[in-house]
């Protein structure tokens, strides 16, 4: 079963606004090899940390969202908490680095949404 919920322009803001707890949005593309690696990593992470909701946006199909978030490279990760934008997330594609990046980001003040 896929841990990711797909999002597009039509349900993006509404769906995230109604999501409680931490949520990670990953902008991807079908031909993106790094996206596949990250998707596998995040799926495994989610199995151990089911409190983190995972969402996926196909940047090729949701171009307005990609522009809104200034997505220039893939994958691009954005962290939300309790329905509010928190920050763009930067991490190495390793479970321990991902966990540390999420914890550090959630401990810091939220940033302004793009």
């Amino acid at each position: 079963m896929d841990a990711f919920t797909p999002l597009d322009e039509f349900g993006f803001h509404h769906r995230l606004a109604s999501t409680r707890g931490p949520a990670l949005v990953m902008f991807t593309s079908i031909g993106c090899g790094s996206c596949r690696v990250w998707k596998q990593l995040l799926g495994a992470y989610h199995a151990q940390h089911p409190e983190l909701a995972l969402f996926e946006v196909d940047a090729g199909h949701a171009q307005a969202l990609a522009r809104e978030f200034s997505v220039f490279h893939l994958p691009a990760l954005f962290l939300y908490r309790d329905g509010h934008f928190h920050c763009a997330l930067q991490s190495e594609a390793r479970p321990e680095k991902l966990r540390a990046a999420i914890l550090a980001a959630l401990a810091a003040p939220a940033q302004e949404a793009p």
Side-chain angles (χ1 to χ4, degrees):
M1 181 179 195
D2 196 358
F4 289 84
T5 300
L7 292 176
D8 60 19
E9 292 97 340
F10 304 107
F12 184 90
H13 295 288
H14 176 72
R15 182 64 188 261
L16 286 168
S18 66
T19 301
R20 296 295 130 228
L24 193 63
V25 177
M26 182 171 74
F27 282 76
T28 65
S29 177
I30 291 172
C32 173
S34 294
C35 297
R36 286 190 295 276
V37 170
W38 269 99
K39 194 168 181 179
Q40 183 177 12
L41 170 73
L42 288 169
Y45 185 87
H46 181 263
Q48 294 189 3
H49 303 281
E51 69 280 1
L52 179 68
L54 296 176
F55 296 95
E56 181 177 17
V57 175
D58 183 326
H61 289 105
Q63 293 178 2
L65 280 175
R67 281 192 298 275
E68 178 181 338
F69 282 82
S70 299
V71 173
F72 297 111
H73 62 84
L74 296 174
L77 304 171
F78 297 93
L79 187 63
Y80 282 72
R81 179 169 40 195
D82 294 328
H84 300 285
F85 179 82
H86 199 75
C87 67
L89 188 70
Q90 303 294 323
S91 173
E92 291 178 41
R94 295 177 26 212
E96 68 278 3
K97 297 291 185 178
L98 174 63
R99 179 161 173 73
I102 290 172
L103 292 175
L106 291 175
Q111 299 174 7
E112 196 170 316

